[in-house]
């Protein structure tokens, strides 16, 4: 067992691969993301620790005490949730770590160190680490990979350990987790005497790639590769495992291993199925391994699955996984609005996946979806005050949906937190002679291109405005290609360098405009993205959206809330001819562009005690306002709709 | 204990009350209902017995054998279902009994007698009767009225016993159940030493009124009255009972006793809440007791609840209870189509309730809804071949819904069976000088008005045609009032007696036209109900139906099935101007009137790999056919929609 690997800097990307920016070198010093990143750092991170404390999660780690009722059961059925509570520590530590380099915080580090110390103390002699099993039923460890999430939990701890090491240089947590990984290597694999298992809830695979990128230990990459390759091989490990437990595999509550994307080998999968978060974590790992192992078969599988997801199974908000019963996918084109599950974690994880895809295949089809989840289906998961959450991100409500302070399965809060505290990495990628700009928003960035160093300043009111100014600072004139994503939603873009227009049509590749030149200090690139209000229609097979229209401006999806309308937005009928005007409202939840127009409203006069009648409802004009979807449910509770009926 | 009560004929109704027809004196000798009643008698009743045998239900009654695994668990979670399997025997015996008087069947009687003999043998010395608890855990009897349905099961056995006694004159089953009721009287009530409990699943209340109408034993009526009066009194019996079991009442899985209409006294309830079947059985008992006890407070509560249900919570099909999670109601105007629970049992039970309401308050608002469920939301629960079923009656499908042969909770098949085998009683009611005709369809009936005797022959192609001919046969000229329901859906009705028009406007009371005259043998009444195709719109608060229209003709709600359209009906857009023509199709599942017209269809050209776009789908003309909703899912599986998008 190797517990002291060499720690190396990230490998330079090969000719076809990009390296994401170091998030700590991207500073959101103005504009849209400044307040979000500050809120998450100053409110979300500390309140999440407080909740972990209040809800008894920290007690779970007191390995010296008798187990007793570990943590308060938050729901009568909530106990089983505790099998994987370790994952929440992992994600919280990861989210917190991302803030430490730019904002050193000794108290925060102490909170993390305390958790790490407890984990280290509890870790079993052979490296096994899971607080539930160690304290409650150690004899049951590794007996049910199908249901009990042991490697999922370790994977999140591992991601936390890597992030904390990278932020602070402290090795203790990383070493704990390397010992845990060594134990997994000793236990699972194709070698004789090992179990040919893999966790039904993917997560450890992508975490192992992160670890490998720090340690360069080939065994770490090999383990990730084994898990992905073994997945879905028949006969199923889960069948064998159930029989060993004396259970009938046919009694599996989710009926099919498609729930865990384990119904067939991953390279044969063509339809995105099962639990949405699991699917996104798996696909993220597949993209990682396509990258690290130069494996085109995994890239091809990812491409097919991406096309299936985005062509048939994705909400307009970037939400995904419509059904609560399996927290995931059902049939293609099944996108109900009011019952949308669309878990925050799944949208965040779609961000992870698309980001990874773009590093190996710079195509705006990936980063367009990254932008979609960022401004809509993921961001909707956290309140403007930074301490209330949605687990399910519905696209329609009758007022029954409220943001909560905490949840019996609190996986989403820390997921959205780690997404936002590491946001900088999603904005830029580089390779030897290239700098790719994926996202827009005011920030100042320091970027490495091979051994060159570029400073870049973005100034823009994006997403409220499509005018973007990029100023470059280079130590000496330097030839490289600047690639700028021209968003798929934009039908009219103008690009210039130091005032000279760039012929966009000729410079476009896969949705990115390329400018190759010798860059001088102070060069200025301007990108003007026309941002009219778009009416969006869904594929006719999406029956829930038939006869309906969604409003979008730039990357931002809009919704109508009852608190603005004074009535249920479900009663609006938007004429095709209705004019819609954007207006920046500085007083709306920290400032946002709203859309205003006049629609028709189905009146309820004459409907007293009448539920059905042969005359359609009468329609009357009514001014209305739409707000960005991600801001909904931050004010008075009430009905909401993304998809409006057309008149 | 009294085990040998006097058995008396049904009490003549008071001046304000009607008595339903004796179902065995109403013969469906032609027309729509002939094939349904014959199918249920000759196919449904025998195959249901076969299923009870095949699925191991009959083994449950072998009280001599060790309990073992009582019946095969049909689902992993299915075991708890077996607490109330007795109820299925009760309903099956009831359904079968209704056929025995007109179609004596020694083999069928023998099947019933065998079940009765087993029940008698298993009944405990003190009268307690429930096969689950007696065989499995007798010490737990009466410890959990909140969850375990003991009285619900006994109530259904009691209904079966009354029906079997009335059909055959055999007292054995009735005596068994009277002993069981005596035991309940000894155990529950307000008297010192008794438990102040009541079953969370209503049913025994209405069964006790049926028993009372046979025995005239005031203790039977008193017990029903106690259960209804005690319901929802605080502190809740269910809280006390949970504490006795060592449980925290707050852990109740359904969170509120509104699930069982036990959150407040029944007379204070104004909104229909909770489990839909429970609600309908309770309200049926409340109507019965309003009748038997001359209790206007219960009638008023029923009126309020009926208005709430029909004004805010009822599907256009008469289905009710939109949600699977509580098998019941959610918020007002929440009527999702594809996820509609709309349990067959609930629609049947709405038939029971409305029928009872009409006997104490002859108002077509009640019998209109009886007709709605009969032709739509209840009848949809059974296949045209009489041996396949729906538990959930959705109003929209993408092809995932199939009728099943049997169910892990097989409550619906026997419920729809008993509804149809006793259908005659719903057609007519009488009192001293009145004969009320509630429903239309070919039949021959023999009816008592006080001590007079009237024979009535209805001839009609209803519901495919609105022309109805009623011929009366009286032994001697006789003065009485004939009341005919003029359906609420009909905007143009014509009525005549022996060819002489009746002024409808002057003769109408509460939706019934009255003809008072001295009737002669051979008098003929003709009623012509104009039956155009109606476009139905839902209240604007029903967001699922916004911009949509349902098609209805007479009492029959229509739907479009993929098998006829060759595509998903969700893609149709029906122009407001589209002509719709009825056509009788003799080849469609035994014959039915279909609607034909031309609609627009949203085309999928240009949507390959596109899920959202700014251009609406193109529309092209497409002929389509709609079939009666109750006939759906009897052919090739596929998508279906009741509510069509309007163009």
């Amino acid at each position: 067992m190797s517990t002291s690997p060499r720690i190396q800097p990230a490998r330079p990307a090969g000719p076809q691969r990009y390296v994401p920016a170091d998030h700590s070198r991207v500073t959101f010093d103005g504009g849209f993301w400044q307040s979000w990143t500050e809120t998450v750092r100053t409110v979300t991170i500390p309140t999440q620790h407080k909740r972990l404390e209040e809800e008894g999660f920290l007690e779970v780690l007191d390995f010296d005490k008798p187990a007793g009722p570990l943590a308060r059961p938050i729901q009568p059925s909530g106990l089983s949730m505790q099998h994987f509570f370790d994952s929440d520590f992992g994600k919280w530590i990861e989210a917190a770590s991302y803030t430490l380099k730019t904002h050193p915080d000794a108290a925060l580090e102490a909170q993390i160190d305390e958790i790490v110390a407890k984990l280290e103390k509890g870790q079993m002699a052979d490296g096994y680490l899971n607080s539930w099993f160690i304290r409650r039923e150690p004899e049951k460890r590794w007996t049910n990979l199908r249901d009990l999430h042991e490697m999922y939990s370790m994977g999140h701890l591992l991601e936390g350990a890597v992030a904390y090491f990278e932020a602070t240089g402290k090795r203790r947590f990383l070493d704990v987790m390397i010992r845990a990984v060594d134990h997994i290597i000793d236990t699972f694999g194709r070698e004789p005497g090992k179990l040919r298992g893999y966790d039904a809830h993917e997560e450890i695979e992508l975490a192992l790639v992160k670890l490998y990128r720090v340690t360069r230990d080939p065994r770490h990459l090999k383990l990730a590769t084994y898990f992905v390759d073994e997945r879905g091989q028949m006969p199923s490990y889960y069948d064998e495992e159930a029989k060993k437990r004396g259970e009938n595999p046919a009694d599996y509550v989710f009926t099919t291993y498609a729930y865990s994307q384990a119904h067939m080998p991953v390279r044969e999968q063509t339809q995105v199925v099962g639990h949405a978060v699991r699917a996104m974590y798996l696909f993220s790992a597949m993209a990682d391994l396509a990258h690290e192992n130069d494996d085109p078969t995994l890239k091809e599988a990812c491409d097919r699955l991406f096309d299936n997801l985005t062509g048939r199974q994705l909400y307009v908000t970037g939400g995904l996984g419509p059904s609560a019963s399996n927290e995931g996918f059902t049939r293609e084109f099944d996108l109900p609005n009011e019952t949308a599950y669309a878990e925050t974690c799944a949208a965040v994880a779609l961000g992870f996946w698309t980001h990874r895809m773009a590093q190996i295949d710079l195509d705006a089809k990936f980063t367009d979806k990254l932008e979609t989840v960022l401004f809509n289906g993921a961001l909707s998961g956290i309140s403007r005050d930074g301490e209330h959450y949605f687990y399910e991100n519905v696209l329609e409500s009758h007022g029954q949906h409220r943001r909560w302070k905490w949840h019996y399965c609190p996986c989403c809060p820390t997921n959205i937190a780690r997404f936002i505290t590491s946001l900088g990495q999603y904005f830029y990628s580089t390779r030897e002679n290239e700098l790719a700009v994926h996202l827009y928003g005011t920030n100042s960035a320091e970027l490495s291109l091979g051994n060159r160093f570029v400073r870049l300043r973005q100034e823009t009111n994006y997403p409220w405005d499509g005018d973007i100014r990029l100023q470059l600072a280079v130590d000496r004139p330097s030839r490289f290609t600047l690639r700028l994503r021209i968003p798929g939603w934009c039908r009219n873009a103008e690009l210039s360098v130091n005032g000279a227009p760039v012929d966009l049509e000729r410079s476009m590749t896969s949705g990115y405009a390329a400018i190759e030149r010798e860059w001088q200090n102070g060069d200025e690139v301007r990108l003007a993205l026309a941002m009219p209000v778009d009416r969006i229609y869904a594929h006719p097979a999406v029956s829930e959206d038939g006869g309906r229209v969604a409003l979008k401006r730039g990357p931002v999806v809009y919704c109508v809330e009852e608190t603005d309308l004074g009535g249920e937005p479900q009663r609006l009928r938007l004429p095709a001819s209705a004019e819609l005007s954007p207006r920046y409202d500085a007083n709306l939840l920290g400032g946002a562009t709203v859309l205003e127009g006049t629609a028709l409203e189905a009146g309820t006069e004459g409907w007293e005690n009448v539920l059905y009648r042969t005359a359609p409802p009468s329609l009357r004009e009514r001014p209305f306002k739409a707000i960005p979807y991600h801001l909904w449910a931050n004010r008075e509770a009430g009905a909401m709709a993304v998809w409006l009926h057309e008149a």
Side-chain angles (χ1 to χ4, degrees), chain A residues 156 202-203 206 277-285 349 415 418:
Chain A
H156 276 304
E202 302 92 329
E203 154 58 26
L206 71 87
V277 180
R278 297 179 192 222
M280 295 304 108
Y281 283 1
L282 169 64
F283 304 160
S284 295
N415 232 340
R418 66 179 178 146

Side-chain angles (χ1 to χ4, degrees), chain A residues 33-292:
Chain A
W33 289 110
Q34 184 181 36
S35 68
W36 281 105
T37 50
E38 281 301 285
T39 298
V40 171
R41 186 179 64 80
T42 61
V43 178
T44 308
I45 299 293
T47 53
Q48 287 184 353
H49 187 271
K50 199 164 160 231
R51 300 285 170 267
L52 290 168
E53 208 158 29
E54 285 170 356
E55 299 294 336
F57 280 50
L58 292 177
E59 292 168 38
V60 178
L61 301 184
D62 290 338
F63 288 87
D64 291 337
K65 295 187 190 163
L70 294 176
R72 281 188 291 283
I74 294 167
Q75 287 209 348
S77 63
L79 273 168
S80 69
M81 297 302 161
Q82 296 172 326
H83 288 113
F84 54 88
F85 274 5
D86 286 356
S87 65
D88 299 304
F89 295 114
K91 276 187 288 185
W92 179 78
I93 290 172
E94 185 187 347
S97 295
Y98 292 142
T99 70
L100 283 175
K101 229 178 196 169
T102 48
H103 295 83
D105 184 331
L108 182 58
E109 271 193 51
Q111 287 175 334
I112 296 173
D113 289 337
E114 190 194 345
I115 294 169
V116 170
K118 287 180 175 183
L119 288 168
E120 186 179 47
K121 194 167 180 184
Q123 184 170 34
M124 292 175 78
D126 65 0
Y128 181 86
L129 182 53
N130 177 292
S131 60
W132 172 276
F133 285 95
I134 294 172
R135 293 192 64 193
R136 280 235 145 170
E137 35 188 15
E139 75 288 358
K140 288 201 180 163
R141 67 179 208 170
W142 300 140
T143 59
N144 188 351
L145 301 191
R146 189 188 69 187
D147 302 322
L148 298 181
H149 301 6
E150 287 157 281
M151 284 194 250
Y152 163 82
S153 295
M154 291 194 211
H156 276 304
L157 289 175
L158 184 49
E159 284 198 89
V162 170
Y164 192 55
F165 167 74
E166 289 185 327
T168 63
K170 293 186 187 171
R171 290 198 50 123
R172 192 176 184 186
F173 192 15
L174 190 66
D175 286 339
V176 164
M177 292 317 301
I178 287 171
R179 283 195 297 273
V181 169
D182 284 336
H183 167 69
I184 294 173
I185 291 171
D186 291 343
T187 311
F188 296 96
R190 294 211 183 82
E191 297 81 2
K194 293 187 180 179
L195 297 168
R196 280 188 71 154
Y198 48 94
D199 201 288
H201 197 317
E202 302 92 329
E203 154 58 26
I204 195 153
E205 299 84 353
L206 71 87
L208 285 166
V209 177
K210 281 191 177 178
L211 178 66
Y212 168 71
R213 285 173 178 167
V214 170
T215 64
R216 291 289 141 194
D217 184 335
R219 299 179 316 133
H220 296 160
L221 184 62
K222 189 182 156 207
L223 182 61
T225 306
Y226 157 74
F227 283 141
V228 167
D229 290 348
E230 188 63 23
R231 188 164 214 91
Q233 301 295 339
M234 293 297 143
S236 172
Y237 180 77
Y238 303 135
D239 280 352
E240 305 304 314
E241 195 193 37
K243 285 180 210 152
K244 274 197 222 165
R245 291 194 304 273
E247 294 169 13
N248 181 355
D251 289 345
Y252 181 45
V253 65
F254 290 105
T255 69
T256 159
Y257 300 139
Y259 175 63
S260 299
Q261 300 79 42
H263 55 310
M264 60 172 73
V266 299
R267 288 171 182 80
E268 296 170 24
Q269 298 186 25
T270 56
Q271 184 176 336
V272 182
V273 295
H275 187 284
V277 180
R278 297 179 192 222
M280 295 304 108
Y281 283 1
L282 169 64
F283 304 160
S284 295
M286 286 163 65
D288 280 340
L289 293 175
H291 185 150
E292 294 296 343

Side-chain angles (χ1 to χ4, degrees), chain A residues 400-540:
Chain A
Q400 73 271 44
H401 300 95
R402 310 281 168 91
R403 296 177 181 279
W404 36 265
K405 231 174 99 177
W406 201 242
H407 202 268
Y408 72 97
C409 176
C411 52
C412 297
T414 49
N415 232 340
I416 183 71
R418 66 179 178 146
F419 195 30
I420 292 179
T421 56
S422 65
L423 188 60
Q425 68 176 312
Y426 299 95
F427 268 65
Y428 307 104
S429 298
T430 60
R431 58 182 184 183
E432 188 67 27
N433 289 308
E434 290 189 22
L435 193 175
V437 183
H438 307 300
L439 297 172
Y440 300 108
T442 293
N443 68 77
S444 300
E446 297 173 334
L447 302 159
S448 302
L449 282 71
N451 46 17
R452 275 170 298 178
F453 194 70
V454 177
R455 273 177 298 155
L456 195 148
R457 165 86 186 152
Q458 253 200 73
E459 270 190 28
T460 174
N461 275 323
Y462 199 89
W464 311 133
D465 186 291
D467 284 331
I468 299 140
R469 190 166 61 157
L470 293 127
Q471 280 185 302
L472 284 85
V474 285
D475 292 338
R476 48 189 163 77
S478 179
R479 175 164 290 273
F480 62 87
T481 303
L482 180 70
R483 295 189 187 271
L484 298 158
R485 183 177 63 97
I486 309 300
W489 53 258
C490 182
R491 294 182 299 284
N492 189 5
E494 287 176 18
L495 182 63
S496 66
V497 179
N498 299 328
V502 174
D503 181 343
L504 257 186
E505 210 161 304
R506 288 186 51 196
S507 67
M508 290 285 285
T509 308
S510 300
Y512 281 75
I515 310 172
E516 188 190 347
R517 70 196 301 270
E518 190 171 77
W519 296 94
Q520 313 285 331
N521 208 25
D523 277 350
E524 182 174 283
V525 175
R526 294 197 74 143
L527 178 60
L529 302 169
M531 209 179 258
V533 180
D534 284 332
R535 284 164 185 260
I536 304 291
Y537 297 88
H539 190 291

